[in-house]
């Protein structure tokens, strides 16, 4: 069943302009009070001619109102299919077929430049575009120096050597480190990384003929967290809120923009991407730049790369399964420690692992103590500059999955 999320202040005209609306579900939840004021939808929504269900929103006066999701769930199927007369005709096979047709129509005989980080989202976009337009796709892998250990080499091996993608490799390590020198604010880091991301692609596009489109792996949580309507911006995404005002492309192609992470993985499997690639650990566009708290330096990048590699290696060895996402981050905290007979004053690494379905909410995963202990021991003994290791138990909300 296909659905979309809109801000509370959508107008009746905007709602009626949407294609094939069958019904409306209003969700209040714990965050419907902003600056001490209770937020409600436009009153006209209730009279717009669509069936309305409200959940956890006491201001609604509609007929079908429930206090909690748990109370509403037994009635949701009846509301959707019997009251709204919606059809369960949205599936991944149809989505992929529709997107291929839309991309072909949109692109025509022009070329698309795609940011291929090697993460799940960009990998699925690459496979989708290859299916739609073949060699009209030009993939660019930018090594901004903030990649996971061995990531760039893996991207080249899989996409250039195995999938025969039209791949351009750009080593922009020094360029990024220079731009990020002295910058500690997380939003500023994201926007700097996003700005350079676009500038590099513009430079590569000018070297090629017929490039009019930019492909990106934007997914639905990126859009929501970057702010819908008057909703709060949780964080700017390099491929949503972090883009400069001027973008030198005819259009941006974002075929996964309406999918959650679990749906992106299903699309990947539908496209025939190997399972080990589809279920690889998610990696943010800004890379380790937002897994290093505070200023980014080459030495800090080395620390978090090595710590993260050890963490991923031990999780794999232990056969820990079902994790939504896990990684190591470098805190900006330094503390006194002892190594041998010497006093140290080094950094603390934070380990993060969460269970999640849609990446909009998440709970800390219960990693076996013996695994965490092994990871801690290896990081402190093998990674120069670290003398403490923490495990983050914070859920989302109130925290985000990433640290910045």
């Amino acid at each position: 069943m296909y659905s979309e999320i809109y801000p509370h202040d959508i107008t009746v005209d905007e709602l009626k302009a949407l294609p094939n609306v069958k019904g409306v579900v209003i969700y209040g939840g714990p965050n419907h009070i902003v600056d001490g004021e209770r937020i409600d939808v436009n009153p006209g929504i209730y009279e717009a001619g669509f069936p309305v269900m409200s959940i956890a929103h006491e201001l609604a006066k509609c007929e079908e109102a429930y206090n909690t999701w748990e109370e509403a769930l037994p009635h949701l199927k009846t509301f959707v299919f019997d009251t709204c007369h919606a059809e369960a005709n949205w599936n991944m096979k149809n989505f992929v077929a529709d997107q291929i047709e839309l991309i072909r129509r949109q692109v025509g005989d022009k070329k698309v430049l795609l940011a291929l980080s090697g993460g799940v989202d960009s990998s699925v976009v690459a496979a989708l575009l290859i299916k739609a337009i073949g060699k009209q796709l030009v993939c660019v892998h930018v090594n901004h120096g903030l990649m996971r250990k061995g990531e760039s080499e893996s991207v080249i091996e899989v996409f250039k050597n195995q999938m025969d993608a039209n791949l351009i490799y750009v080593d922009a390590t020094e360029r990024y480190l220079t731009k990020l020198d002295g910058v500690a604010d997380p939003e500023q880091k994201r926007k700097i990384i996003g700005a350079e991301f676009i500038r590099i692609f513009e430079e590569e596009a000018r070297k090629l003929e017929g490039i009019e489109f930019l492909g990106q792996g934007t997914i639905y949580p990126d859009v929501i967290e970057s702010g819908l309507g008057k909703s709060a911006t949780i964080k700017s995404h390099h491929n949503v809120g972090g883009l400069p005002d001027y973008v030198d492309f005819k259009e941006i192609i974002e075929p996964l923009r309406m999918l959650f992470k679990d749906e992106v993985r299903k699309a990947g499997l539908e496209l025939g991407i190997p399972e080990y690639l589809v279920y690889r650990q998610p990696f943010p566009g800004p890379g380790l730049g937002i897994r290093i708290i505070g200023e980014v330096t080459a030495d800090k990048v080395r620390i978090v790369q090595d710590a993260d590699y050890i963490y991923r290696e031990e999780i794999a060895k232990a056969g820990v399964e079902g994790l939504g996402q896990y990684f190591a981050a470098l805190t900006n905290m330094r503390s006194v420690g002892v190594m041998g007979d010497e006093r140290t004053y080094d950094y603390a690494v934070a380990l993060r692992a969460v269970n999640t379905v849609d990446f909009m909410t998440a709970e800390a995963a219960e990693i076996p103590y013996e695994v965490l202990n092994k990871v801690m021991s290896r990081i402190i003994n093998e990674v120069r500059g670290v003398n403490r290791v923490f495990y983050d138990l914070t859920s989302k909300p109130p925290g985000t999955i990433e640290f910045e």
Side-chain angles (χ1 to χ4, degrees):
M1 181 63 224
Y2 181 77
S3 62
E4 294 183 4
I5 299 174
Y6 286 90
H8 73 280
D9 55 358
I10 185 173
T11 67
V12 173
D13 288 342
E14 288 170 335
L15 180 62
K16 287 185 173 180
L18 296 173
N20 203 28
V21 176
K22 299 292 187 181
V24 177
V25 175
I26 299 170
Y27 177 59
N31 299 317
H32 72 287
I33 298 178
V34 179
D35 294 331
E37 182 182 343
R38 291 177 182 272
I39 301 300
D40 196 7
V41 298
N42 284 308
I45 297 294
Y46 299 110
E47 310 298 329
F50 303 109
V52 178
M53 171 190 277
S54 80
I55 303 169
H57 188 56
E58 64 272 20
L59 294 180
K61 303 301 176 194
C62 59
E63 224 174 273
E64 199 158 353
Y66 302 95
N67 294 321
T68 65
W69 267 112
E70 289 74 20
E71 186 184 329
L73 277 176
H75 308 279
L76 193 59
K77 187 174 181 180
T78 300
F79 175 75
V80 169
F81 296 112
D82 295 346
T83 305
C84 299
H85 303 293
E87 296 179 12
N89 58 2
W90 191 87
N91 58 55
M92 199 50 65
K93 185 174 183 178
N94 290 344
F95 172 82
V96 168
D98 289 347
Q99 288 302 314
I100 288 172
E101 181 58 33
L102 287 170
I103 290 166
R104 285 173 178 164
R105 257 189 267 159
Q106 185 180 5
V107 174
D109 60 354
K110 304 300 181 185
K111 292 181 181 177
V112 178
L113 194 63
L114 172 68
L116 180 58
S117 68
V120 177
D121 303 334
S122 66
S123 297
V124 173
V125 172
L128 190 56
L129 287 168
I130 288 169
K131 202 90 157 179
I133 58 173
K135 289 296 183 179
Q136 289 170 246
L137 172 67
V138 180
C139 297
V140 177
H141 175 66
V142 179
N143 180 3
H144 46 29
L146 305 171
M147 307 296 291
R148 288 176 290 206
K149 190 172 185 177
E151 189 82 11
S152 289
E153 293 82 354
S154 174
V155 168
I156 293 169
E157 171 59 30
V158 171
F159 288 94
K160 189 167 188 174
N161 298 344
Q162 296 180 24
M163 297 179 68
D164 194 31
N166 191 1
L167 178 65
I168 296 171
Y169 173 74
V170 180
D171 187 349
T173 301
E174 290 304 317
R175 179 170 172 171
Y176 271 90
L177 289 175
T178 299
K179 288 281 185 180
L180 292 168
D181 185 33
V183 178
D185 179 74
E187 277 298 291
Q188 197 178 351
K189 285 195 291 186
R190 281 180 173 274
K191 289 185 183 293
I192 288 171
I193 293 168
E196 287 306 298
F197 167 89
I198 288 292
R199 295 287 84 84
I200 289 170
F201 276 32
E202 286 175 346
E203 291 166 13
E204 293 303 319
R206 290 188 191 107
K207 298 175 187 175
L208 302 164
E209 293 182 3
I211 298 285
E212 293 190 7
F213 299 90
L214 174 66
Q216 290 193 160
T218 310
I219 65 173
Y220 207 30
D222 297 340
V223 177
I224 295 170
E225 290 184 341
S226 292
L228 278 175
K230 294 181 181 177
S231 63
T233 297
I234 299 170
K235 55 187 177 182
S236 294
H237 286 263
H238 78 289
N239 48 359
V240 184
L243 294 181
D245 293 334
Y246 174 72
V247 180
D248 193 18
F249 292 96
K250 181 180 178 181
E251 288 182 55
I252 292 178
I253 295 177
E254 300 170 306
L256 309 181
R257 189 180 177 90
M258 301 308 292
L259 298 186
F260 286 100
K261 181 69 77 172
D262 62 315
E263 294 170 322
V264 173
R265 296 189 198 280
K266 290 176 184 175
L269 294 174
E270 182 67 33
L271 287 160
I273 298 176
E275 198 166 303
Y276 75 91
L277 278 180
V278 169
Y279 288 99
R280 74 188 308 174
Q281 280 300 294
F283 193 58
L288 300 179
I290 58 170
R291 291 181 181 175
I292 296 171
I293 310 301
E295 182 184 358
V296 176
T297 67
D299 197 48
K300 287 181 177 180
V301 172
R302 172 194 60 79
I303 290 173
V304 76
Q305 280 179 335
D306 290 347
D308 184 72
Y309 183 82
I310 289 169
Y311 187 28
R312 288 185 288 122
E313 188 173 63
E314 290 301 326
I315 288 289
K317 280 183 187 176
V320 179
E321 297 180 347
L323 300 178
Q325 188 171 353
Y326 60 94
F327 58 88
L330 182 62
T331 74
N332 206 22
M333 187 196 94
R334 298 179 74 185
S335 63
V336 174
V338 178
M339 292 289 283
D341 295 328
E342 295 184 3
R343 174 186 182 275
T344 62
Y345 188 64
D346 288 328
Y347 287 104
V349 162
L351 304 178
R352 183 80 160 132
V354 298
N355 293 321
T356 181
V357 174
D358 57 12
F359 286 80
M360 293 302 299
T361 61
E363 296 293 332
E366 295 185 15
I367 304 292
Y369 175 78
E370 59 270 19
V371 177
L372 291 175
N373 193 54
K374 179 72 179 295
V375 173
M376 175 276 298
S377 179
R378 283 195 61 192
I379 288 175
I380 288 177
N381 284 289
E382 297 176 31
V383 182
R384 178 171 45 85
V386 178
N387 65 3
R388 289 183 192 270
V389 175
F390 300 141
Y391 184 65
D392 184 3
L393 291 171
T394 313
S395 61
K396 176 185 180 180
T400 53
I401 295 175
E402 297 288 347
F403 280 75
E404 291 191 338

